[in-house]
Amino acid sequence: MTTENILRYCEVAKERGLVQMGITEHDRYLDDVDLAAFQRAREEVDGLELRLGIEIDFVPGTEEEMDRVARALPYDYVIGSVHKVDGKDVDHPDHREVYDEYEPYELYERYFENVRKAALSGRFDVIGHPDLVKIFGCRPERDITPMLEETADAIAESGVAVDVNAAGLRKPVGEIYPSRRFLEMFFRRGVPIVLSSDAHSPEEVAAGYDRSLKLVREVGYREVVTFKDRERGSLTLP
């Protein structure tokens, strides 16, 4: 996290027509977040507003640590994401043991239970990639509509925004998070959205946004929410 590296992301963002971008680190790298480097980049960049965020891995039982991370820096927004079921990763390409240990429907049940808990915890502004559990293409044979509806209800009740995340297009599932069906459930309930490319390198900034924008417009969204000092605003979609 250096000023020079952040500015490399900014150059790609401007080339691809972004007007605002969030710099978001994972909670496990909190000690590497260089607030001074971020602030210098924000001052140096022209034509692009920068926001600072943190993505916290929601793990039941670690509430004290999650709260410590959420208070550590003057973030503009805090994302809560579920990456684990019973302490086991659902998205690590080299550790897929969880897919052997659980029947797919049970795995989905446990995953979405954690998503609901994350939303209702009141800790987060955004729920990240809300159906990440599909990343490797594992799908239950049973209908999961009821658990998706229950999760959409919880997220709507919580008031958090949902991350429409194009990184899924670069993963084995080849699909945006959330799926169209899930996104339609959020839209019917008035759940606001953010757009992300989940870029881990400059060339991934805004990658897949053509498809994300097409999806959200077709579902009915006309704006995305934005954050500054944990306060919510909005931007009209192009």
Side-chain angles (χ1 to χ4, degrees):
M1 194 169 188
T2 64
T3 299
E4 293 73 23
N5 194 41
I6 294 171
L7 291 174
R8 282 194 285 270
Y9 281 76
C10 292
E11 287 307 309
V12 178
K14 290 196 295 182
E15 288 170 5
R16 297 180 178 176
L18 272 64
V19 296
Q20 186 180 116
M21 181 172 66
I23 302 297
T24 314
E25 189 53 274
H26 290 273
D27 53 357
R28 62 186 179 274
Y29 300 122
L30 174 63
D31 291 342
D32 296 321
V33 175
D34 188 334
L35 186 59
F38 170 81
Q39 290 173 333
R40 285 194 298 271
R42 185 163 55 184
E43 292 168 2
E44 289 183 25
V45 68
D46 292 321
L48 180 71
E49 297 179 12
L50 287 185
R51 300 287 189 263
L52 181 68
I54 193 79
E55 180 180 3
I56 296 177
D57 195 0
F58 179 81
V59 180
T62 65
E63 286 77 11
E64 186 174 322
E65 175 61 13
M66 287 190 284
D67 290 342
R68 182 189 74 83
V69 173
R71 294 192 298 263
L73 292 170
Y75 309 112
D76 291 302
Y77 57 91
V78 175
I79 299 173
S81 299
V82 175
H83 298 92
K84 300 179 187 294
V85 167
D86 296 334
K88 302 176 182 69
D89 292 324
V90 300
D91 64 332
H92 198 298
D94 299 326
H95 297 283
R96 304 191 194 186
E97 296 86 356
V98 70
Y99 293 93
D100 297 321
E101 296 178 19
Y102 294 90
E103 184 272 331
Y105 190 86
E106 180 186 7
L107 179 64
Y108 270 57
E109 279 191 316
R110 290 174 180 266
Y111 173 84
F112 283 112
E113 179 184 5
N114 281 345
V115 173
R116 293 192 292 272
K117 287 179 179 178
L120 294 170
S121 73
R123 289 181 166 85
F124 310 117
D125 303 303
V126 180
I127 294 297
H129 42 60
D131 55 358
L132 179 69
V133 68
K134 71 186 182 187
I135 184 171
F136 299 119
C138 174
R139 309 273 192 179
E141 293 182 2
R142 294 170 58 188
D143 182 18
I144 65 169
T145 300
M147 75 172 74
L148 294 182
E149 295 277 9
E150 182 181 0
T151 304
D153 283 341
I155 288 175
E157 178 185 339
S158 73
V160 298
V162 161
D163 169 31
V164 177
N165 188 315
L169 297 169
R170 309 192 296 271
K171 304 301 182 180
V173 69
E175 181 180 286
I176 291 167
Y177 315 113
S179 65
R180 176 185 291 267
R181 175 172 59 148
F182 205 9
L183 186 62
E184 288 171 345
M185 294 178 188
F186 293 132
F187 180 73
R188 289 197 297 271
R189 290 164 172 79
V191 174
I193 60 169
V194 301
L195 292 182
S196 80
S197 54
D198 211 330
H200 287 209
S201 61
E203 62 269 18
E204 292 177 346
V205 170
Y209 269 25
D210 53 341
R211 293 176 62 177
S212 293
L213 286 167
K214 182 175 185 292
L215 172 64
V216 299
R217 287 194 197 100
E218 287 176 354
V219 168
Y221 284 98
R222 296 294 178 265
E223 66 178 25
V224 294
V225 293
T226 182
F227 295 93
K228 185 177 174 68
D229 300 325
R230 304 293 300 274
E231 296 292 328
R232 183 185 291 178
S234 64
L235 288 172
T236 301
L237 289 169

